[in-house]
Amino acid sequence: MPFNEKLIKNNYPLKDLTTFRIGGPADFYYEAETAQDIVDAVNHAKSKNIPYFIIGGGSNLVISDKGIAGLVIHNCIKNIKKVDTNNKTITLSTGHKLSELVDMAEHEGFTGAEPFAGIPGSLGGAICGNAGAYGKSISDILLEAEILLSNGVVKIVNKDFFDFSYRSSILKREPHIVLSATFALKQGNREAISQEIEEIKATRKTKHPGKEIGCAGSFFKNLPPEPGESRRRAAGEVLEKIGAKGMHFGGAFVYEKHANFIINKGDAKASDVKSLAKILINKVKEGYGVELEEEVRYVGRWD
Ligand SMILES: Cc1cc2nc3c(=O)[nH]c(=O)nc-3n(C[C@H](O)[C@H](O)[C@H](O)COP(=O)(O)OP(=O)(O)OC[C@H]3O[C@@H](n4cnc5c(N)ncnc54)[C@H](O)[C@@H]3O)c2cc1C
């Protein structure tokens, strides 16, 4: 089907597309159901000389109260869903949730995706931010992906293309869009896999706010390891030491059960979140001489 410009909505509210439930509207908004829709939408934005931004599950974003300029493309592509039992790979469109990859791997008895159980969001967002938990990141299982490069070319790239590092990839610097991705797993024991997934989900429930509470996961990246240590220092520990728990600015609060979560108590503005984050960064810098860096992404108009 040719690209239908009439499906673009003007001044579209975005806050309910985010887990923080904060933020203003998109100037223009389009829901992409296929990879071709994404290609067409990007070409449309380029032809009108307006910026474009791809949103997945909205679980790692703080969208400005003034909204996002240009075209927001919502990645709803779910038409590819393939298992290769010989090679133990799973290929999915990136509009699928990360949890669908975990479920499919569990169903097939493939091991490797268990640490990602309970992480919200789409596969596209997971690749962009190299999402992970329990010492594993999506880069550990990504084999290759189909990508729309910022120059308009669609091609298959292998994982090296992404230049992955802790909670980061080239996608945070360049506006390429991942369309589908193939993950390489290993044959495992289905019962053991299911048990691990259940345990991880149960542990996460005790630490993380439930879906009814607006937040975007860990707000800050963990800190680099201390000299002689190999593991990163939890940002939450340092935040707890400066007395962050319970601190607030407007409607944005530090979660009482985990100091590295900023939550929306209902009426928080994006500016409240940013102001609270700034206070926390300054306090940690004063107390510990280290600079916290946001894991969440601020997007939209901030001046
Ligand atoms: C309760 C809670 C717990 C969380 N726990 C974890 C955790 O344990 N570990 C962890 O790593 N994260 C965690 N997160 C953060 C979040 O779930 C992850 O960062 C997730 O991978 C973001 O995916 P998304 O689809 O929601 O991305 P979005 O928030 O929609 O977007 C994030 C970035 O990805 C880009 N993007 C989205 N799709 C594509 C695409 N197809 N191609 C290119 N770029 C794209 C966007 O442009 C944006 O820059 C948590 C969040 C919440 C709310």
Side-chain angles (χ1 to χ4, degrees):
M1 263 218 291
F3 182 66
N4 186 353
E5 225 178 282
K6 289 200 184 115
L7 295 176
I8 295 180
K9 294 171 182 148
N10 293 353
N11 205 28
Y12 190 85
L14 294 173
K15 67 181 181 129
D16 289 338
L17 296 183
T18 71
T19 53
F20 235 140
R21 293 192 283 281
I22 291 180
D27 288 353
F28 305 103
Y29 170 82
Y30 177 74
E31 265 169 29
E33 305 280 349
T34 65
Q36 190 59 46
D37 286 349
I38 290 193
V39 173
D40 291 343
V42 167
N43 285 338
H44 174 81
K46 285 181 177 171
S47 74
K48 301 276 177 200
N49 216 8
I50 55 172
Y52 61 90
F53 177 77
I54 182 100
I55 184 170
S59 61
N60 202 26
L61 300 177
V62 183
I63 295 179
S64 151
D65 300 310
K66 294 181 194 149
I68 301 184
L71 177 64
V72 170
I73 305 166
H74 189 188
N75 179 6
C76 301
I77 50 174
K78 295 193 174 154
N79 48 339
I80 300 174
K81 191 173 182 176
K82 278 192 297 207
V83 177
D84 178 337
T85 45
N86 291 328
N87 292 314
K88 320 274 177 290
T89 60
I90 295 178
T91 302
L92 287 163
S93 306
T94 51
H96 278 108
K97 289 180 176 167
L98 176 56
S99 63
E100 288 176 78
L101 171 65
V102 175
D103 291 350
M104 281 172 78
E106 178 186 11
H107 182 262
E108 298 300 327
F110 295 170
T111 183
E114 302 89 315
F116 313 120
I119 301 180
S122 68
L123 285 168
I127 295 170
C128 175
N130 196 15
Y134 300 100
K136 293 284 175 198
S137 304
I138 208 76
S139 55
D140 293 319
I141 58 166
L142 183 72
L143 182 65
E144 59 182 26
E146 185 180 34
I147 187 157
L148 168 63
L149 296 172
S150 52
N151 65 9
V153 172
V154 173
K155 67 187 250 190
I156 305 278
V157 295
N158 68 23
K159 99 162 152 201
D160 296 343
F161 169 88
F162 292 96
D163 193 19
F164 283 119
S165 56
Y166 171 67
R167 299 293 173 266
S168 191
S169 77
I170 192 170
L171 304 177
K172 288 209 164 169
R173 306 186 293 275
E174 297 280 337
H176 310 308
I177 297 179
V178 203
L179 303 170
S180 66
T182 298
F183 301 92
L185 301 154
K186 294 201 169 84
Q187 193 60 54
N189 174 297
R190 195 166 154 193
E191 256 176 45
I193 293 166
S194 299
Q195 196 183 337
E196 190 175 345
I197 289 174
E198 282 319 304
E199 282 170 12
I200 288 174
K201 283 186 180 164
T203 309
R204 291 179 70 96
K205 252 192 195 154
T206 62
K207 290 199 218 153
H208 293 181
K211 278 191 185 142
E212 67 293 351
I213 299 175
C215 81
S218 295
F219 200 89
F220 298 103
K221 291 180 180 177
N222 287 331
L223 293 158
E226 298 226 72
E229 299 276 329
S230 60
R231 288 191 59 174
R232 284 186 165 263
R233 192 153 46 131
E237 263 174 43
V238 185
L239 285 162
E240 195 156 331
K241 286 192 186 145
I242 57 128
K245 278 186 180 169
M247 277 172 62
H248 76 108
F249 191 102
F253 285 70
V254 176
Y255 187 47
E256 310 82 50
K257 290 193 197 162
H258 194 314
N260 196 17
F261 277 73
I262 293 182
I263 60 168
N264 171 9
K265 282 228 169 157
D267 58 355
K269 294 192 180 69
S271 56
D272 294 341
V273 173
K274 206 170 189 181
S275 300
L276 179 56
K278 218 171 185 177
I279 293 169
L280 297 172
I281 291 171
N282 287 341
K283 279 199 169 275
V284 167
K285 197 159 184 195
E286 275 165 28
Y288 291 91
V290 285
E291 186 116 17
L292 287 174
E293 191 191 332
E294 282 92 348
E295 184 173 321
V296 300
R297 237 181 141 181
Y298 294 113
V299 289
R301 300 176 174 96
W302 286 95
D303 340 306

